[in-house]
Amino acid sequence: MACFELLPNEILENIFQYMDFKNRRKLSPVCTRWNNVLLSDQYLRKNVIVHIEGCRLLDAKMTFSRTYPALSLKLESQFFNEMMKNLRLINGFNPRPTFLRLDNRSSDQQLGWVLDNLFFSLEDVSELHLSGTCKTDRGVCLVFLNNLKILKLEAAHVEYFRVGAPNLTELSLLVRSEEHMDILHQFAEQLIKLTVVFDSKDGYYFYNLKFPRLIELTVDRSLKGMIKSEQDISIAFFRRLKQLTRLHLLVKFIDSYVMQEIYESVPNLVELKLEVCEGTIELSNVSKLIHLEKMTIAAEKVNLLNTKPPNLKQLTLGSETTGAGTFVYAFENLMLLDNLRSLALHNVKFYPEVLKLTPTYNVVTMSVTHYKRLLENHLQIIVKRFPALQRLKIVDCPGFTLREVDKIRRMNPRMFISFDEVRFRL
């Protein structure tokens, strides 16, 4: 029998990845090697954020054997003095953070004072998240962050906040007013990845901007659709984004003509995610995207007729947020996708024609999730149509029990099934 101590660090990391930070801390005193693997710099950088707020005072006598690169600060008026005491102790475990999250809930607008009087260096900050309010009692607050690459802004009164970031390449922006659009104007020429979430039905247009380096784009307009008056300007906008490889559109509704023009304007798409709150999504024109490998589609109704992207490898249909489920037409077109290997179905409804489908031997991985009521024969019918399945994942499907899983396993004994038994949904 192999000794546990002889396992390489890579195997230990795979074992420990299922543990949370609290349990990792408990196991770290076992030995020096476990301590180094459990709380490695790589793990701390990706998974641990030290949260500091005034209502919880730090112990000045505490000693830290490690430095934690990610820091979260919450500013509140009633605990502001206590927060200042905590900030004086940060140098002990986080003298030069690379990730900084500021949540300013101070009614006294103390953000500017805090940024000017921090007891640690901002020179190494490469990712900054700012929420709450940017309003200060001294007017505009200007901060220079030469190493900043990622900025996530979900704050109000951004007209009071100005940041100098010559190396910024990724921006996530929650748009609440016209002033938020000034941030886009400032960084449009240098962005590679952009996420824009509109917080109201008001139309703050950015279609006139140019993003010459943009590769990944996410636009969330779930409160408002793409209306006819925007067709020309939105189509012209996407025609300037021929270099785009990843696109995520979340809209209330969208005209099929606009979607057709978008597909033709971004021929290099590798990943497409389209979520529509109302109406039907027609996907026949997706076949023009010859480089498309990953696609996620969520709507009330999805029509797969003549949908044949030649290099599609991963397809997700439906969404856990779609209350009545997603109705799929022409499901048989999946049998024509030679390169399709992974299929995820989130509360997807089929029509009787699915019983007549010819089996396909392409799909090897399938996820079936978030069904309000998953019937036993429903899943068996699906599995029969994909006899080459090697891995099946069933998640959050109330009423579907281990007994049904055993029946499916007998249909394909070599298939690995991951299953969580949920008897009732609250």
Side-chain angles (χ1 to χ4, degrees):
M1 181 180 295
C3 178
F4 195 77
E5 295 178 356
L6 298 179
L7 292 176
N9 287 351
E10 292 77 13
I11 300 299
L12 288 179
E13 289 175 356
N14 288 334
I15 296 173
F16 295 149
Q17 69 177 336
Y18 299 100
M19 303 173 60
D20 58 17
F21 180 70
K22 184 178 180 180
N23 288 321
R24 283 173 178 259
R25 287 289 300 270
K26 289 180 179 179
L27 282 179
S28 62
V30 170
C31 64
T32 301
R33 184 185 177 212
W34 277 36
N35 180 61
N36 293 334
V37 175
L38 283 162
L39 300 176
S40 64
D41 291 339
Q42 180 180 0
Y43 171 78
L44 295 178
R45 183 170 59 253
K46 291 184 177 181
N47 301 282
V48 180
I49 300 177
V50 179
H51 184 68
I52 308 294
E53 54 184 320
C55 63
R56 295 186 300 174
L57 285 174
L58 297 177
D59 187 353
K61 297 180 181 179
M62 289 180 63
T63 58
F64 296 89
S65 58
R66 287 180 168 83
T67 58
Y68 295 86
L71 182 63
S72 174
L73 306 179
K74 185 176 182 179
L75 308 178
E76 298 175 281
S77 299
Q78 57 180 332
F79 301 114
F80 193 77
N81 292 331
E82 292 82 356
M83 186 65 180
M84 291 301 102
K85 296 177 183 178
N86 283 341
L87 288 178
R88 291 186 177 91
L89 301 175
I90 288 179
N91 271 326
F93 59 88
N94 203 327
R96 302 174 72 93
T98 58
F99 172 94
L100 179 61
R101 182 168 61 203
L102 283 173
D103 184 10
N104 182 29
R105 306 293 172 177
S106 171
S107 59
D108 296 327
Q109 294 89 42
Q110 298 285 359
L111 178 63
W113 191 92
V114 170
L115 289 175
D116 289 341
N117 296 275
L118 283 174
F119 300 96
F120 56 87
S121 174
L122 294 177
E123 293 181 5
D124 295 337
V125 173
S126 61
E127 184 170 352
L128 173 63
H129 293 195
L130 189 58
S131 59
T133 177
C134 296
K135 195 172 184 180
T136 68
D137 56 350
R138 299 178 302 155
V140 175
C141 175
L142 180 60
V143 181
F144 289 98
L145 299 171
N146 291 326
N147 291 311
L148 188 67
K149 293 181 174 62
I150 302 173
L151 174 62
K152 186 174 182 179
L153 197 56
E154 297 179 334
H157 305 291
V158 294
E159 66 270 19
Y160 289 87
F161 180 72
R162 291 292 181 270
V163 57
N167 294 306
L168 187 73
T169 57
E170 182 176 335
L171 174 63
S172 179
L173 186 64
L174 177 62
V175 178
R176 294 176 173 174
S177 66
E178 288 286 355
E179 284 74 17
H180 286 81
M181 305 310 294
D182 294 336
I183 303 291
L184 278 178
H185 282 273
Q186 180 183 353
F187 297 111
E189 297 288 334
Q190 62 192 72
L191 291 178
I192 293 176
K193 184 176 180 179
L194 172 64
T195 298
V196 184
V197 180
F198 293 92
D199 194 37
S200 69
K201 294 182 179 180
D202 295 328
Y204 304 113
Y205 301 121
F206 65 101
Y207 294 133
N208 58 329
L209 294 177
K210 295 181 180 180
F211 298 94
R213 301 180 59 195
L214 199 64
I215 295 176
E216 299 183 32
L217 173 63
T218 299
V219 180
D220 184 343
R221 291 184 53 167
S222 55
L223 299 176
K224 186 179 178 65
M226 284 192 172
I227 56 179
K228 291 184 178 180
S229 61
E230 296 180 23
Q231 285 187 2
D232 293 339
I233 189 172
S234 61
I235 292 173
F237 170 76
F238 281 100
R239 284 176 179 169
R240 297 195 297 269
L241 296 177
K242 293 188 180 297
Q243 76 281 1
L244 208 65
T245 59
R246 287 177 172 82
L247 174 63
H248 178 193
L249 284 179
L250 197 162
V251 294
K252 188 174 183 179
F253 58 85
I254 189 168
D255 185 78
S256 58
Y257 170 73
V258 175
M259 282 309 309
Q260 176 182 342
E261 293 296 323
I262 290 176
Y263 297 149
E264 294 180 353
S265 301
V266 286
N268 297 312
L269 275 190
V270 175
E271 181 177 342
L272 172 65
K273 188 173 183 180
L274 182 59
E275 299 181 61
V276 177
C277 302
E278 300 175 1
T280 302
I281 296 181
E282 304 283 348
L283 291 174
S284 57
N285 289 298
V286 174
S287 304
K288 300 176 181 179
L289 301 174
I290 61 174
H291 302 290
L292 191 65
E293 297 181 359
K294 183 178 180 180
M295 183 166 65
T296 300
I297 305 296
E300 293 179 344
K301 297 179 181 180
V302 177
N303 191 348
L304 295 176
L305 187 64
N306 296 323
T307 302
K308 301 175 184 178
N311 290 300
L312 189 66
K313 298 177 181 178
Q314 183 175 340
L315 174 63
T316 300
L317 293 173
S319 169
E320 58 184 281
T321 59
T322 307
T326 297
F327 288 87
V328 177
Y329 299 88
F331 190 77
E332 63 274 9
N333 270 269
L334 296 183
M335 311 304 165
L336 304 177
L337 301 177
D338 296 334
N339 291 307
L340 186 64
R341 296 293 181 270
S342 178
L343 178 63
L345 306 174
H346 301 311
N347 198 16
V348 170
K349 304 293 190 301
F350 302 97
Y351 289 90
E353 289 77 8
V354 73
L355 297 173
K356 304 175 183 178
L357 295 180
T358 302
T360 175
Y361 292 87
N362 300 324
V363 176
V364 296
T365 302
M366 180 182 292
S367 298
V368 180
T369 68
H370 301 99
Y371 279 74
K372 293 182 179 180
R373 179 65 181 174
L374 181 61
L375 300 178
E376 174 186 341
N377 62 340
H378 189 153
L379 189 53
Q380 289 184 21
I381 291 171
I382 295 176
V383 172
K384 285 181 179 178
R385 297 307 180 270
F386 299 93
L389 276 181
Q390 298 177 9
R391 294 179 296 276
L392 175 63
K393 183 178 181 180
I394 307 170
V395 178
D396 195 14
C397 297
F400 197 83
T401 64
L402 187 59
R403 181 176 62 87
E404 284 79 21
V405 172
D406 290 337
K407 291 182 179 179
I408 295 175
R409 186 175 282 114
R410 287 195 291 270
M411 296 169 54
N412 187 348
R414 297 182 179 181
M415 180 170 56
F416 176 79
I417 301 178
S418 173
F419 168 66
D420 66 337
E421 186 168 343
V422 181
R423 293 189 177 275
F424 304 100
R425 175 179 285 165
L426 299 177

